[in-house]
């Protein structure tokens, strides 16, 4: 656990080690109490710590397309009556400061800064009124998309699941630390320090509570499932001329009160 930039915690063999976040969510542990215990844990000194994605084995990664009205418009779509849904798989995930990889077969890797809601209590047919009670916390996602592959087919799956394109982190902020449903938070994406996206979660057409409720109509949501809630306007492919990430770039996604997710960009070798 990070406290004022310092790491506190226990090694996995220590009797007070509480388990990783996947395990804590699976048993529906009280994350607030675990956090208080880790604050009291010894400071950990690591020469060059590497932050992994907060979750390594989410059962579901459900992404929402076209969820901000301005982004829907810039993409050429009408305002949807029902959310546009697609899946990512855990094999695409990388952590904070890990390189986003431009695939060897494409030069069209685009940035998409997004808020992630992580399910803490599972359920089916969850009402919108109680949906936020099922959210353990929030994090940040750079839902980097390989655009030429995304639009090869009517379904977006292939362009959304290249290895090392799903940046996630740097940490999970528990829901009690944030406004309900993360309402009113600014979402900013910067490429090499230049602001490319600047939106607000209030602009979501389907907010977190609505998404939890809608998804639970079709599937049982389980602890650790991720809902990647959509991106504001300003994506690269909708610009004139288009802007795609290049080797040597640095992309940052910042969400107010949640943090900053930063990733360098590299070209994948064959």
């Amino acid at each position: 656990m990070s406290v004022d930039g310092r790491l506190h915690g226990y090694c996995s063999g220590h009797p007070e080690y509480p388990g990783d976040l996947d395990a804590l969510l699976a048993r529906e542990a009280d994350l607030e109490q675990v956090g208080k215990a880790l604050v009291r844990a010894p400071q950990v000194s690591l020469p060059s710590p590497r932050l992994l994605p907060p979750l390594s084995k989410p059962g579901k990664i459900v992404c929402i397309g076209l969820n901000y009205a301005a982004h829907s418009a810039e993409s050429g779509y009408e305002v949807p009556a029902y959310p546009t849904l697609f899946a990512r798989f855990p094999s695409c995930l990388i952590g904070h400061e890990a390189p986003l990889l431009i695939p060897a077969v494409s030069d069209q890797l685009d940035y998409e800064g997004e808020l992630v809601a992580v399910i803490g209590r599972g359920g089916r047919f969850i009402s919108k009124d109680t949906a936020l009670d099922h959210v353990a916390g929030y994090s940040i996602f750079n839902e980097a998309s390989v655009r030429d592959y995304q639009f090869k087919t009517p379904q977006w799956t292939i362009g959304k699941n290249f290895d090392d394109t799903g940046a996630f982190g740097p940490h999970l902020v528990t829901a009690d630390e944030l406004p309900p449903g993360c309402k009113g938070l600014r979402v900013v994406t910067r490429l090499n320090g230049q602001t490319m996206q600047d939106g607000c979660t209030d602009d979501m057409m389907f907010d977190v509570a609505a998404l939890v409720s809608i998804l639970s109509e079709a599937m049982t949501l389980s602890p650790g499932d991720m809902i990647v809630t959509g991106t504001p306007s300003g994506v690269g492919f909708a610009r004139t001329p288009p802007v795609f990430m290049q080797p040597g770039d640095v992309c940052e996604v910042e969400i107010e009160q949640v943090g900053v997710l930063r990733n360098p960009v590299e070209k994948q070798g064959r």
Side-chain angles (χ1 to χ4, degrees):
M1 182 170 186
S2 177
V3 182
D4 297 328
R6 294 169 294 180
L7 295 176
H8 292 254
Y10 301 102
C11 293
S12 58
H14 193 280
E16 294 186 61
Y17 175 65
D20 61 20
L21 187 57
D22 295 85
L24 291 170
L25 289 171
R27 66 174 189 259
E28 299 188 16
D30 186 331
L31 296 185
E32 184 177 357
Q33 293 305 312
V34 172
K36 289 178 179 178
L38 290 177
V39 167
R40 299 191 297 268
Q43 185 174 340
V44 179
S45 179
L46 298 173
S48 53
R50 180 169 64 98
L51 292 181
L52 300 175
L55 297 167
S56 62
K57 301 181 288 291
K60 304 180 194 68
I61 305 173
V62 183
C63 300
I64 316 301
L66 311 173
N67 197 22
Y68 288 69
H71 175 52
S72 184
E74 74 177 355
S75 302
Y77 294 92
E78 296 181 359
V79 174
Y82 188 85
T84 300
L85 307 172
F86 59 93
R88 273 190 177 255
F89 309 121
S91 56
C92 77
L93 297 178
I94 59 172
H96 177 67
E97 296 287 5
L100 287 163
L101 292 187
I102 303 168
V105 295
S106 175
D107 291 314
Q108 295 190 12
L109 185 65
D110 203 351
Y111 52 82
E112 292 193 32
E114 309 199 18
L115 175 76
V116 181
V118 175
I119 297 298
R121 180 159 61 90
R124 182 84 194 277
F125 299 114
I126 300 167
S127 72
K128 185 175 179 180
D129 290 343
T130 64
L132 295 182
D133 296 337
H134 291 258
V135 177
Y138 298 88
S139 191
I140 305 172
F141 208 85
N142 191 340
E143 210 265 302
S145 302
V146 183
R147 294 300 188 190
D148 47 350
Y149 276 76
Q150 177 183 347
F151 298 124
K152 280 180 182 289
T153 74
Q155 304 296 323
W156 297 349
T157 304
I158 188 67
K160 298 288 192 171
N161 277 288
F162 276 72
D163 288 352
D164 302 288
T165 61
F168 173 35
H171 41 244
L172 180 82
V173 179
T174 52
D176 60 295
E177 297 288 335
L178 296 165
C182 281
K183 287 282 193 179
L185 299 187
R186 190 180 179 193
V187 181
V188 176
T189 303
R190 293 183 290 268
L191 188 62
N192 302 321
Q194 179 180 352
T195 297
M196 309 300 285
Q197 296 180 283
D198 192 346
C200 177
T201 55
D202 282 349
D203 296 332
M204 289 184 190
M205 291 179 284
F206 303 95
D207 62 16
V208 173
L211 292 172
V212 170
S213 182
I214 290 168
L215 290 173
S216 74
E217 292 174 349
M219 64 191 79
T220 299
L221 295 176
S222 301
D225 286 348
M226 296 167 54
I227 303 174
V228 185
T229 60
T231 197
S233 62
V235 296
F237 89 93
R239 293 174 174 267
T240 305
V243 174
F244 297 114
M245 293 187 284
Q246 303 296 320
D249 286 350
V250 175
C251 193
E252 295 179 317
V253 181
E254 181 171 5
I255 299 181
E256 186 181 2
Q257 299 184 46
V258 181
V260 178
L261 171 66
R262 180 184 302 105
N263 298 91
V265 180
E266 297 179 5
K267 181 71 175 180
Q268 182 185 42
R270 285 186 180 269

